[in-house]
Amino acid sequence: ALATGPGPEEATRLHTALTQRFGMAEAVARDSALTGAAGEMRDALGRLGEAGVDMLWIPTMFMPKDPRPVLDRFLKEVAAQFR
């Protein structure tokens, strides 16, 4: 799951949705979500890449009705570094 933003509000919203919808423990929800500012996400993706992860799935079920602005921002500010 993906939440962008410099503050913790979006991350908290996403973690809560994951725990309520899927019954995840809070720690599992945090580990299952890519959240934070662009730099934090790039760091997390870098660590995942170093661990051998080469594919990222971003479900859109917890995004706004039109997820394109969020995904465009992610592609521009985060993913571009990994192309």
Side-chain angles (χ1 to χ4, degrees):
L2 171 70
T4 60
E9 297 83 16
E10 282 299 307
T12 299
R13 183 191 63 77
L14 179 59
H15 296 156
T16 300
L18 291 171
T19 58
Q20 291 177 351
R21 177 116 185 227
F22 299 111
M24 291 182 178
E26 180 65 26
V28 174
R30 279 193 310 272
D31 289 345
S32 300
L34 182 60
T35 62
E40 294 169 312
M41 289 187 186
R42 286 191 299 269
D43 291 346
L45 289 174
R47 289 190 300 276
L48 289 170
E50 290 169 4
V53 174
D54 63 0
M55 183 182 292
L56 180 67
W57 177 65
I58 301 175
T60 58
M61 69 184 85
F62 296 115
M63 290 189 179
K65 186 173 183 173
D66 180 4
R68 291 176 294 181
V70 174
L71 294 172
D72 287 344
R73 181 176 173 201
F74 175 78
L75 290 172
K76 179 181 175 186
E77 297 179 15
V78 179
Q81 174 181 324
F82 299 97
R83 290 185 174 175

